[in-house]
mmCIF file of all heavy atoms in Angstrom:
data_model
loop_
_atom_site.group_PDB
_atom_site.id
_atom_site.type_symbol
_atom_site.label_atom_id
_atom_site.label_comp_id
_atom_site.label_asym_id
_atom_site.label_seq_id
_atom_site.Cartn_x
_atom_site.Cartn_y
_atom_site.Cartn_z
ATOM 1 N N GLU K 39 -90.030 -8.258 28.421
ATOM 2 C CA GLU K 39 -90.592 -7.856 27.135
ATOM 3 C C GLU K 39 -91.893 -8.608 26.826
ATOM 4 O O GLU K 39 -92.735 -8.114 26.066
ATOM 5 C CB GLU K 39 -89.547 -8.136 26.050
ATOM 6 C CG GLU K 39 -89.818 -7.547 24.695
ATOM 7 C CD GLU K 39 -88.658 -7.795 23.742
ATOM 8 O OE1 GLU K 39 -88.159 -8.947 23.697
ATOM 9 O OE2 GLU K 39 -88.239 -6.861 23.063
ATOM 10 N N GLN K 53 -99.080 -22.033 30.754
ATOM 11 C CA GLN K 53 -98.003 -21.628 31.666
ATOM 12 C C GLN K 53 -96.876 -20.981 30.868
ATOM 13 O O GLN K 53 -96.470 -21.495 29.823
ATOM 14 C CB GLN K 53 -97.473 -22.846 32.422
ATOM 15 C CG GLN K 53 -96.390 -22.515 33.443
ATOM 16 C CD GLN K 53 -95.889 -23.759 34.163
ATOM 17 O OE1 GLN K 53 -96.372 -24.863 33.915
ATOM 18 N NE2 GLN K 53 -94.930 -23.576 35.036
ATOM 19 N N LEU K 101 -83.949 -11.087 17.773
ATOM 20 C CA LEU K 101 -82.834 -12.010 17.978
ATOM 21 C C LEU K 101 -83.327 -13.291 18.639
ATOM 22 O O LEU K 101 -82.872 -14.391 18.308
ATOM 23 C CB LEU K 101 -81.750 -11.359 18.831
ATOM 24 C CG LEU K 101 -80.552 -12.239 19.201
ATOM 25 C CD1 LEU K 101 -79.771 -12.646 17.958
ATOM 26 C CD2 LEU K 101 -79.641 -11.534 20.196
ATOM 27 N N LEU K 107 -85.673 -20.372 16.465
ATOM 28 C CA LEU K 107 -85.664 -21.137 15.223
ATOM 29 C C LEU K 107 -84.430 -22.026 15.134
ATOM 30 O O LEU K 107 -84.497 -23.154 14.643
ATOM 31 C CB LEU K 107 -85.723 -20.185 14.034
ATOM 32 C CG LEU K 107 -85.757 -20.816 12.636
ATOM 33 C CD1 LEU K 107 -86.971 -21.721 12.476
ATOM 34 C CD2 LEU K 107 -85.759 -19.723 11.569
ATOM 35 N N LEU K 120 -92.733 -17.027 15.885
ATOM 36 C CA LEU K 120 -91.627 -16.128 15.577
ATOM 37 C C LEU K 120 -92.189 -14.727 15.355
ATOM 38 O O LEU K 120 -92.988 -14.510 14.437
ATOM 39 C CB LEU K 120 -90.873 -16.605 14.337
ATOM 40 C CG LEU K 120 -90.338 -18.042 14.398
ATOM 41 C CD1 LEU K 120 -89.715 -18.433 13.066
ATOM 42 C CD2 LEU K 120 -89.327 -18.192 15.534
ATOM 43 N N PRO K 125 -83.680 -12.952 10.405
ATOM 44 C CA PRO K 125 -83.752 -14.075 9.467
ATOM 45 C C PRO K 125 -82.516 -14.968 9.528
ATOM 46 O O PRO K 125 -81.425 -14.503 9.854
ATOM 47 C CB PRO K 125 -83.841 -13.375 8.111
ATOM 48 C CG PRO K 125 -83.092 -12.096 8.317
ATOM 49 C CD PRO K 125 -83.394 -11.677 9.726
ATOM 50 N N ARG K 132 -79.844 -10.189 3.547
ATOM 51 C CA ARG K 132 -79.549 -10.163 4.969
ATOM 52 C C ARG K 132 -79.623 -8.726 5.472
ATOM 53 O O ARG K 132 -79.601 -7.776 4.714
ATOM 54 C CB ARG K 132 -78.166 -10.750 5.229
ATOM 55 C CG ARG K 132 -78.077 -12.235 4.907
ATOM 56 C CD ARG K 132 -76.705 -12.775 5.192
ATOM 57 N NE ARG K 132 -76.595 -14.141 4.667
ATOM 58 C CZ ARG K 132 -75.454 -14.727 4.402
ATOM 59 N NH1 ARG K 132 -74.310 -14.088 4.597
ATOM 60 N NH2 ARG K 132 -75.427 -15.961 3.934
ATOM 61 N N ARG K 155 -88.723 6.681 20.083
ATOM 62 C CA ARG K 155 -88.462 6.549 18.642
ATOM 63 C C ARG K 155 -88.606 5.106 18.182
ATOM 64 O O ARG K 155 -89.102 4.851 17.082
ATOM 65 C CB ARG K 155 -87.064 7.071 18.311
ATOM 66 C CG ARG K 155 -86.973 8.589 18.218
ATOM 67 C CD ARG K 155 -85.705 9.030 17.515
ATOM 68 N NE ARG K 155 -84.509 8.594 18.216
ATOM 69 C CZ ARG K 155 -83.916 9.291 19.187
ATOM 70 N NH1 ARG K 155 -84.434 10.454 19.562
ATOM 71 N NH2 ARG K 155 -82.823 8.842 19.769
ATOM 72 N N PRO K 158 -92.897 3.715 18.484
ATOM 73 C CA PRO K 158 -93.870 4.748 18.113
ATOM 74 C C PRO K 158 -95.320 4.309 18.285
ATOM 75 O O PRO K 158 -96.224 5.156 18.319
ATOM 76 C CB PRO K 158 -93.549 5.005 16.633
ATOM 77 C CG PRO K 158 -92.963 3.714 16.146
ATOM 78 C CD PRO K 158 -92.168 3.202 17.310
ATOM 79 N N ALA K 160 -96.415 2.563 20.925
ATOM 80 C CA ALA K 160 -96.631 2.260 22.341
ATOM 81 C C ALA K 160 -97.070 3.514 23.079
ATOM 82 O O ALA K 160 -96.770 4.635 22.661
ATOM 83 C CB ALA K 160 -95.353 1.706 22.963
ATOM 84 N N TRP K 172 -84.026 -1.499 29.441
ATOM 85 C CA TRP K 172 -83.079 -1.836 28.367
ATOM 86 C C TRP K 172 -81.724 -2.186 28.956
ATOM 87 O O TRP K 172 -81.300 -1.586 29.942
ATOM 88 C CB TRP K 172 -82.899 -0.664 27.402
ATOM 89 C CG TRP K 172 -84.098 -0.202 26.638
ATOM 90 C CD1 TRP K 172 -84.549 1.083 26.560
ATOM 91 C CD2 TRP K 172 -84.979 -0.976 25.818
ATOM 92 N NE1 TRP K 172 -85.662 1.155 25.756
ATOM 93 C CE2 TRP K 172 -85.950 -0.088 25.287
ATOM 94 C CE3 TRP K 172 -85.054 -2.335 25.490
ATOM 95 C CZ2 TRP K 172 -86.967 -0.521 24.436
ATOM 96 C CZ3 TRP K 172 -86.084 -2.763 24.648
ATOM 97 C CH2 TRP K 172 -87.011 -1.858 24.134
ATOM 98 N N VAL K 189 -79.835 -22.683 9.881
ATOM 99 C CA VAL K 189 -80.821 -23.363 10.718
ATOM 100 C C VAL K 189 -81.437 -24.529 9.957
ATOM 101 O O VAL K 189 -81.408 -24.585 8.726
ATOM 102 C CB VAL K 189 -81.941 -22.406 11.178
ATOM 103 C CG1 VAL K 189 -81.374 -21.210 11.910
ATOM 104 C CG2 VAL K 189 -82.804 -21.968 10.011
ATOM 105 N N GLU K 190 -82.012 -25.453 10.725
ATOM 106 C CA GLU K 190 -82.828 -26.531 10.177
ATOM 107 C C GLU K 190 -84.266 -26.261 10.590
ATOM 108 O O GLU K 190 -84.549 -26.072 11.776
ATOM 109 C CB GLU K 190 -82.368 -27.883 10.724
ATOM 110 C CG GLU K 190 -83.205 -29.052 10.259
ATOM 111 C CD GLU K 190 -82.794 -30.371 10.900
ATOM 112 O OE1 GLU K 190 -81.762 -30.384 11.608
ATOM 113 O OE2 GLU K 190 -83.509 -31.368 10.699
ATOM 114 N N LEU K 199 -95.036 -13.654 12.697
ATOM 115 C CA LEU K 199 -95.695 -12.361 12.789
ATOM 116 C C LEU K 199 -94.723 -11.284 12.330
ATOM 117 O O LEU K 199 -93.611 -11.172 12.865
ATOM 118 C CB LEU K 199 -96.139 -12.089 14.231
ATOM 119 C CG LEU K 199 -97.155 -13.069 14.823
ATOM 120 C CD1 LEU K 199 -97.441 -12.704 16.270
ATOM 121 C CD2 LEU K 199 -98.434 -13.077 14.006
ATOM 122 N N GLU K 224 -98.690 -13.614 9.307
ATOM 123 C CA GLU K 224 -99.608 -12.498 9.529
ATOM 124 C C GLU K 224 -98.825 -11.188 9.532
ATOM 125 O O GLU K 224 -97.813 -11.058 10.233
ATOM 126 C CB GLU K 224 -100.357 -12.658 10.846
ATOM 127 C CG GLU K 224 -101.405 -11.553 11.049
ATOM 128 C CD GLU K 224 -102.306 -11.805 12.238
ATOM 129 O OE1 GLU K 224 -102.233 -12.894 12.836
ATOM 130 O OE2 GLU K 224 -103.084 -10.889 12.570
ATOM 131 N N LEU K 226 -98.835 -7.398 10.595
ATOM 132 C CA LEU K 226 -99.491 -6.583 11.608
ATOM 133 C C LEU K 226 -99.445 -5.113 11.181
ATOM 134 O O LEU K 226 -98.400 -4.470 11.223
ATOM 135 C CB LEU K 226 -98.802 -6.778 12.956
ATOM 136 C CG LEU K 226 -98.743 -8.237 13.431
ATOM 137 C CD1 LEU K 226 -97.867 -8.353 14.679
ATOM 138 C CD2 LEU K 226 -100.137 -8.776 13.696
#
Side-chain angles (χ1 to χ4, degrees):
E39 192 175 46
Q53 183 180 359
L101 176 64
L107 181 60
L120 304 175
R132 294 181 189 159
R155 281 196 299 272
W172 298 129
V189 304
E190 177 184 353
L199 298 177
E224 184 171 352
L226 304 172

